[in-house]
Each structure stands twice: as structure tokens, then as C-alpha cells.
Amino acid sequence: MKYQFANNIPESDEDPVGNILKVAGDPKVISFAGGLPAPELFPVENLKKVTNEVYDESGRQALQYSIAAGYPELRKQIAKRMNRSGIACDIDNIMISTGSQQSIDLTAKLFVNPGDTVIVEQPTYLCALDVFRSYGAHMVGVPMDDDGMKMDALEKAVQDNPNTKFIYTVPSFQNPTGRTMPADRRQKMIEIADKYNIMILEDDPYGAIRFTGKDVAPVKTFEHDERVIYMSTFSKILAPGLRIGWIVAEKNLVKKFTLMKQTVDVHSDNLTQHIIAKYLEDFNIDDHIAKIRETYRRREGIMMDAIEKYFPKNAKYSHPEGGLFIWVEVPGVDTQTLFNTCIDHDVAFVPGEPFYADKVIPGTFRLNYSNMQDDKIVTGIERLGNAIKETISKQVEV
């Protein structure tokens, strides 16, 4: 049968990133490909304890249908955390989502008509690009330096695209580069958004995982008229399998988000929301986050030392102060050839191409340091360094 798909469905079933992760899943491969938290840090016993408490205290309520905005007690807990971060809000400013991906999807669903422009960092989170494409967005990438998106280039992109609906930014420990936007650029982004009357979608899954340097306030704390939609998740600070995130926005906008969410999944998993709310009540999540920070600080340091030892001297790489990723550029290297060579060396990464909205910078790739054991990081980076040198040698011979 020939299916009559919607116009926005890709013709090809190719999933290059999925194929990479599948290959990287081979047990003998040391994989720096996935953006995975360290599973040994998941608070399994504490979550088991609070799950039993939920069943004992409110099991029937937790297993029943709930409201689309989310479990009120969880939203109260999130509001407390948001206010401590400088984002003034209450429960009516918050909607629970089924992970960050749903927050991105609902924002595109609310604002993007086919042909509308969404401005993104260049490079940016690849799954956000997939969402924006699915709604027919015209995406414009803004170049970055070590301090994130360049504001002069951002303003020019907005001027050149008067149909821009919103700017999508991951300002803290960005995926894929690990870079962090300083406060003055966050302020300037707000000024540009105010001047041209456009929205900002601030994606902040990693902000709590700072292991060195000083915290930078969220972009939303600089706004004047509630044009920033802030989103975050429990995936990186608790466990990704829980699939619970949240949106903070102006109250009437939250109502719109809630209406859109009802058409998608009615509400996020109610039992999981009760479990997280109970966890936040019984345990200090900041103590847990401190353990994550310390582990990731150590692993990032190990990876950075190994990169300096085993990579070619012309390799460029980011120096993250938190989060999960290091971004690497090896000038003149074909990344797909390098990936194939790396698989022969039993090591894996994610090539840079899928992270670009438009023009691709060759020789770029992302490394994840959070998920791999300390000793394997060194072994894996040594293998990767050897693969880079082998790839360069083959290209010179050709």
C-alpha cells in the first residue's frame, strides 16, 4: 500500500544519529556518543522508597487521570526552585511536560506556521532541529564563539528574517558545544527580542550541573515583559527515564500550552509526578546534584587531559564549566570517514553534521564525558586520537 503521508513527513526513513548510537551500543565499543547521565548516580533506593510511600499514601490518586498542567504539589516544588534561581513565578506559571522534547514540540506547535523562521545557535541541539523541521520552519543558524551565540550576528539574522517567531537558545553548557553564554549577552538577547518583538525559548537542562566557575542567571531573569519561555527537566538532575520536564511562562501562555498538551497526551505520567514530588519532599535534591557535579567535574578533567595528550595539536575543543559535552574541531578531517575509522578502533562519537541548521563546519564532533567510567575515558580518547591520526594520514595519501 502507498501511504499518503502529511507534507512535513520526511521522504527518507534514514536515521543517521540512531544508526550511530546503535553502532556505539556494541559492548566492545567505548562510546562518547550518547548524551547520557551516569546511571550509577541514579538514586534508585531513594526513588524506590518514595514510590512505596506514594502507593501507601495516595496510590489511587496517583493512578487516576490528572490535569494537563500537572500535579499541583510538583509544580509548587518547581516554583520554589525557580524562585531561588531568580525566576519569579508561582504554580500558575508552570506546566509539567513529558520531558524537554515535548516542551520544544509544544512551543513549535503553538508558534510556527510553515515558512516561519526560527533562529538557532550554530550548532545546536539536533532533536530541536528535527522538531522545527517537522512544523515546516525555516531555520537560521547564528554563529557562536567561546561565549555562545554572537549578538551582532543574531540581530542581523532577525533583521534579515522579519517573520521570525522565536529564538531557540541553550545558554548554559550548550548541547553540543558545552559553551555558556555570559550575562551581558543574555541581557543583549533580551534587548534584541524586545526591539523586534519576538519570543525566546530558553532550554536549560544542564544549568544546575555547574562544576566550576560562577553561576549565570537564566535568560528569563533579564526579561521585562514575559517574552521568555523557560524550560528544564529532571532528566539530567534525577533520571531521564522518568520523562518529566517543565515550562515556565506567562500565565495566559501557560493556558495555551496546556490546551495544546491535552491534544497530545492528556497529561504527563501522573504516578511519576507524584514520585518526584515525594522525592523532593523527603530528600534534598541539591545534595544529589552535588554528587553529579563532582563526578562530572572529575570525568571532564580526565577527558580534557587525555585530549591534550592524544589529539593532534591543531585540534580545537571547548572547555565546559558544567554539563555533559565537549565540542571538538579537527580542521581538514572528514567526520564520517573518521567515525568509520573510530568504529574499527572500538570507539564512538557523534559527528557534527546533524547539529547544524544550515552551513556545516567540517571536522566537528561531540564527545560526552558523563556516562563513561574514568579508566575507559582515557582508553577511549587514546583510541580516538589514533583514529584521527590514521584518518589524516589516509586523506593525505589520497
Side-chain angles (χ1 to χ4, degrees):
M1 177 177 176
K2 185 174 178 59
Y3 299 107
Q4 298 183 16
F5 293 115
N7 293 336
N8 59 355
I9 301 299
E11 292 184 9
S12 173
D13 290 334
E14 282 298 309
D15 179 10
V17 176
N19 292 338
I20 289 167
L21 295 177
K22 183 177 180 180
V23 171
D26 186 325
K28 70 176 182 296
V29 174
I30 296 177
S31 177
F32 304 124
L36 305 178
E40 67 272 21
L41 297 179
F42 297 158
V44 174
E45 292 304 316
N46 290 345
L47 287 171
K48 184 190 300 184
K49 176 180 179 294
V50 297
T51 299
N52 288 333
E53 290 178 5
V54 167
Y55 277 118
D56 291 341
E57 297 171 12
S58 57
R60 289 180 175 83
Q61 179 190 359
L63 293 171
Q64 186 56 279
Y65 284 115
S66 186
I67 58 174
Y71 179 40
E73 186 56 38
L74 179 57
R75 289 155 63 208
K76 288 178 186 176
Q77 295 272 13
I78 291 171
K80 290 178 183 177
R81 292 191 62 80
M82 292 292 91
N83 278 279
R84 286 201 297 271
S85 75
I87 297 176
C89 65
D90 61 35
I91 185 173
D92 293 325
N93 294 107
I94 294 169
M95 187 196 78
I96 303 299
S97 63
T98 304
S100 286
Q101 197 65 20
Q102 186 178 68
S103 299
I104 296 169
D105 186 85
L106 290 175
T107 302
K109 192 181 184 77
L110 267 174
F111 288 100
V112 177
N113 293 311
D116 286 342
T117 295
V118 175
I119 293 177
V120 302
E121 292 150 342
Q122 185 84 317
T124 191
Y125 174 47
L126 60 90
C127 293
L129 294 177
D130 289 342
V131 170
F132 302 146
R133 286 191 187 100
S134 75
Y135 287 95
H138 167 235
M139 288 179 293
V140 174
V142 173
M144 306 172 74
D145 59 19
D146 289 342
D147 288 329
M149 186 185 285
K150 297 180 179 180
M151 291 299 109
D152 56 345
L154 171 61
E155 183 158 16
K156 186 177 188 309
V158 174
Q159 290 171 342
D160 291 346
N161 295 275
N163 65 338
T164 296
K165 285 297 183 72
F166 59 85
I167 302 162
Y168 171 71
T169 180
V170 189
S172 297
F173 320 124
Q174 195 237 20
N175 182 359
T177 67
R179 297 165 179 155
T180 294
M181 186 186 298
D184 60 338
R185 288 201 187 182
R186 298 181 189 217
Q187 176 67 54
K188 183 63 177 177
M189 179 179 284
I190 291 290
E191 292 173 6
I192 293 170
D194 285 345
K195 181 178 179 180
Y196 296 96
N197 192 31
I198 55 179
M199 302 291 293
I200 297 172
L201 177 58
E202 179 180 12
D203 189 358
D204 188 28
Y206 314 106
I209 312 175
R210 173 177 284 280
F211 44 70
T212 187
K214 295 182 179 180
D215 287 329
V216 184
V219 175
K220 189 166 179 63
T221 64
F222 295 95
E223 69 180 355
H224 311 293
D225 56 0
E226 300 186 286
R227 69 173 64 253
V228 179
I229 301 163
Y230 175 93
M231 51 176 281
S232 191
T233 176
F234 287 102
S235 291
K236 306 302 185 295
I237 60 173
L238 200 55
L242 297 172
R243 305 310 306 134
I244 296 293
W246 68 90
I247 287 171
V248 185
E250 186 269 329
K251 292 179 181 180
N252 289 321
L253 184 52
V254 168
K255 291 178 182 177
K256 292 290 189 184
F257 270 108
T258 303
L259 287 173
M260 291 298 98
K261 181 174 172 60
Q262 286 173 340
T263 70
V264 176
D265 64 0
V266 182
H267 62 77
S268 296
D269 187 284
N270 194 30
L271 174 61
T272 304
Q273 291 184 65
H274 277 72
I275 291 168
I276 295 175
K278 191 65 177 174
Y279 177 91
L280 295 175
E281 178 185 327
D282 287 4
F283 299 99
N284 186 344
I285 193 172
D286 290 321
D287 291 342
H288 176 64
I289 293 171
K291 296 176 183 177
I292 296 173
R293 287 171 172 167
E294 177 56 28
T295 299
Y296 293 3
R297 180 202 61 77
R298 185 181 70 251
R299 290 181 178 176
E300 187 270 350
I302 292 170
M303 180 172 282
M304 195 65 71
D305 289 344
I307 286 173
E308 291 175 359
K309 182 176 181 179
Y310 294 113
F311 278 23
K313 297 305 178 186
N314 67 334
K316 304 173 185 176
Y317 41 90
S318 59
H319 294 77
E321 296 182 335
L324 281 69
F325 305 111
I326 294 172
W327 184 247
V328 181
E329 179 181 350
V330 184
V333 169
D334 180 85
T335 316
Q336 189 57 54
T337 301
L338 174 59
F339 178 81
N340 294 336
T341 304
C342 281
I343 294 305
D344 293 337
H345 285 259
D346 293 329
V347 64
F349 59 84
V350 177
E353 285 82 351
F355 297 99
Y356 287 92
D358 35 53
K359 185 179 179 181
V360 174
I361 296 177
T364 54
F365 55 92
R366 189 191 74 180
L367 298 175
N368 166 262
Y369 50 78
S370 59
N371 185 244
M372 194 54 61
Q373 297 296 322
D374 297 13
D375 58 337
K376 289 188 177 181
I377 291 176
V378 177
T379 302
I381 293 299
E382 182 177 9
R383 291 177 184 177
L384 181 50
N386 290 334
I388 292 172
K389 293 168 187 174
E390 183 178 321
T391 301
I392 292 173
S393 176
K394 288 180 178 177
Q395 289 181 181
V396 169
E397 290 174 4
V398 172

